[in-house]
Amino acid sequence: MTTALIQDDATLRAACDRWAQSAWLCLDTEFVRVDTYHARLCLLQVSDGVTAACVDPLAPLDLNPLLDLIYAPSRIKVLHAPGQDLEILVRLRGHCPQPLFDSQTAATLLGIGDQIGYAGLIEKRLGIVLDKSLSRTDWARRPLREAELAYAVADVSHLATIYAQLQDELAAAGRLAWLAEDCARLCEPAQYQTRPEDAWERLKGLARMNPREQTVAAALADWREREAQARDRPRKWILEDDAIYRMAERRPATLGELEALRVLPPKTLERHGERLLAVVAQASAAPEHLYARDEEFDAAQKQKLKQLQDLVQARASTLNLPASFLAARADLVALVRAGALAQSKVLRGWRREVCGEALLLQV
C-alpha cells in the first residue's frame, strides 16, 4: 500500500474537504533543526480515522486550507506530547489551535505511564511494536522513501485508533475536565516564544555567579537570542554558554582583553567583538540584579519541603498519578518560599482542589 503524499493544491483541497467532515483530526509533524534557530517544518501528517496522509510543506502548495481546518475551534486536535508541534504551529499563525487532546497527558491521567512515549503507548494499547529505526530520517530530503512516509503516517493512524478509547476511559474516570485544563495550559503561546529578555533562564550556571556577573550574563544572553532569531541560527553558533559565563566573570573592556579569554572563535571576535564589549560595558554600569539563586534552604525549610513532598506522594498514590505530575519539586520549593503567593501550577485548577489546598495548610 502506497502512503499518500500530498504535494499539490488540488489534492490538498480535496483531502481537506474530506477531513472537514470530521469532528476531530489526529496530527503530527516531522521537522529538522540542525543549522537553524526555528524548526523547519518538513512534513505534516493528518488522519480523521478513515483516511491518513502526509502533507509536504516543502512543495509549492498553499497550506492555508489545512491550517484553517486545524485552527477551527469546533474541531478537536489530537496529538501526542505536542510541544514541538505547537511551537511550529504558533510560528505559522501566532497562536495554538484549540481545543487540544494530548494523548500523553491522557495516558498519564489514566495511570498508563508517566510521560510515556508514543511507541510505548501504542505497544501498551494495541500490542503493536513500532519500528523506530527511521526516527533519524532527514525529513528535509526529497524524495522521501515509501518506508519513511509509512513510518510518518503511522503516528497519526494508530493515534486515531486509540483516541476514542482514551476519551471514553477519561470520561468514565471523571477526568476529562482535568485533561481539558492541562491541554488549555499547553496552548498558551508564550511558552513557545522565547523573549530575548527572558533568555537568561536558559543559563543553567547562573546561580553560582554574583549579582553583577548575573546582570552581565543576562545581557549577553539577551543579545545572543536577538542575534540568533534575526539570523535564524542556533544559539550556540552565535555564542556558547561558557563564553557568556567567562565574559560576565571577567568583564573585558578591550578587544585584547576579550581575545585573551580565548572563548570566541576568530570569526566571532572579528564580527561581534565590538558589540559584545558594548553589551558588557552597558550591563556593568547598570543596576545589578539577582536573576537566579541556589536553593540554600535552612533546616526548617528543608523539613517543610519534605513534609510537602510526603503529602504530594500520598495524594498521588491515592489518585494513581505520578507525584511529579501532580506537583513538581519546583512547585513545592516555590510554596516553601512564598506560600499562597507562589506562582505554582499546583495552586491552580484541579490540582489545587485535589492537593493544593492541603499543601497550603502546611505552609
Side-chain angles (χ1 to χ4, degrees):
M1 179 178 178
T2 300
T3 302
L5 177 62
I6 298 176
Q7 295 181 297
D8 66 89
D9 288 336
T11 306
L12 180 59
R13 285 195 297 271
C16 287
D17 287 343
R18 294 194 303 273
W19 294 332
Q21 308 307 311
S22 178
W24 52 271
L25 290 176
C26 292
L27 305 172
D28 191 30
T29 64
E30 305 295 347
F31 57 90
V32 296
R33 188 182 346 221
V34 177
D35 57 359
T36 60
Y37 177 92
H38 300 289
R40 183 186 183 196
L41 178 61
C42 298
L43 213 59
L44 211 166
Q45 303 99 281
V46 186
S47 175
D48 62 358
V50 179
T51 62
C54 297
V55 179
D56 187 359
L58 302 185
L61 80 170
D62 180 10
L63 284 179
N64 282 305
L66 177 56
L67 292 178
D68 289 343
L69 281 183
I70 292 173
Y71 276 87
S74 59
R75 186 170 294 107
I76 298 170
K77 276 63 68 170
V78 185
L79 299 96
H80 185 86
Q84 292 177 314
D85 308 300
L86 294 178
E87 178 186 341
I88 290 171
L89 292 169
V90 166
R91 181 157 173 78
L92 289 175
R93 289 220 167 167
H95 61 285
C96 293
Q98 296 191 63
L100 175 73
F101 185 103
D102 173 21
S103 56
Q104 185 181 70
T105 301
T108 303
L109 286 168
L110 291 171
I112 298 172
D114 183 10
Q115 296 186 318
I116 190 171
Y118 178 74
L121 178 59
I122 295 306
E123 184 174 359
K124 281 193 173 186
R125 299 313 300 254
L126 301 180
I128 297 173
V129 178
L130 298 179
D131 178 8
K132 303 302 289 184
S133 64
L134 297 175
S135 61
R136 296 186 179 275
T137 295
D138 177 6
W139 297 106
R141 175 181 45 78
R142 294 294 184 273
L144 290 168
R145 294 182 287 120
E146 172 57 29
E148 294 166 336
L149 293 171
Y151 164 85
V153 82
D155 283 349
V156 289
S157 298
H158 296 315
L159 189 57
T161 302
I162 67 170
Y163 163 58
Q165 299 174 10
L166 296 175
Q167 187 179 51
D168 289 346
E169 290 171 30
L170 282 169
R175 294 184 177 183
L176 267 179
W178 293 8
L179 176 71
E181 180 186 313
D182 282 5
C183 286
R185 189 174 295 116
L186 281 174
C187 290
E188 296 171 1
Q191 59 193 309
Y192 308 108
Q193 301 167 323
T194 301
R195 301 191 312 163
E197 56 267 36
D198 296 330
W200 63 268
E201 295 175 355
R202 293 180 173 274
L203 299 176
K204 303 306 181 185
L206 206 61
R208 62 178 170 78
M209 308 176 81
N210 64 43
R212 173 54 63 200
E213 292 168 348
Q214 289 193 24
T215 302
V216 177
L220 289 168
D222 181 306
W223 174 85
R224 178 178 67 176
E225 200 72 21
R226 296 178 192 277
E227 191 71 16
Q229 290 175 351
R231 294 173 56 192
D232 194 20
R233 288 291 179 262
R235 295 176 187 88
K236 65 180 181 179
W237 285 24
I238 307 298
L239 201 60
E240 294 277 3
D241 285 0
D242 286 344
I244 289 178
Y245 298 140
R246 288 292 302 280
M247 283 188 281
E249 292 167 349
R250 302 294 289 273
R251 299 194 287 284
T254 68
L255 283 175
E257 292 176 357
L258 181 55
E259 183 178 14
L261 295 180
R262 297 186 177 181
V263 294
L264 299 180
K267 286 186 178 179
T268 302
L269 181 66
E270 180 181 357
R271 178 181 294 175
H272 300 302
E274 293 287 358
R275 180 59 189 144
L276 288 170
L277 289 174
V279 172
V280 170
Q282 184 175 4
S284 296
E288 63 183 31
H289 181 74
L290 185 66
Y291 287 87
R293 61 179 177 179
D294 287 324
E295 200 167 273
E296 295 179 352
F297 275 175
D298 59 28
Q301 289 173 315
K302 289 179 180 177
Q303 183 179 9
K304 182 64 64 179
L305 179 61
K306 179 64 166 58
Q307 291 174 350
L308 299 184
Q309 289 173 319
D310 289 345
L311 191 154
V312 170
Q313 184 61 59
R315 291 296 172 93
S317 296
T318 300
L319 295 166
N320 192 27
L321 294 174
S324 60
F325 181 77
L326 193 55
R329 188 178 190 279
D331 292 326
L332 303 183
V333 168
L335 277 173
V336 172
R337 290 194 185 282
L341 298 179
Q343 297 299 309
S344 175
K345 187 166 67 174
V346 76
L347 296 184
R348 299 198 295 270
W350 69 267
R351 286 178 175 82
R352 184 178 184 116
E353 294 177 14
V354 303
C355 188
E357 291 290 354
L359 288 170
L360 287 175
L361 294 176
Q362 301 295 317
V363 296

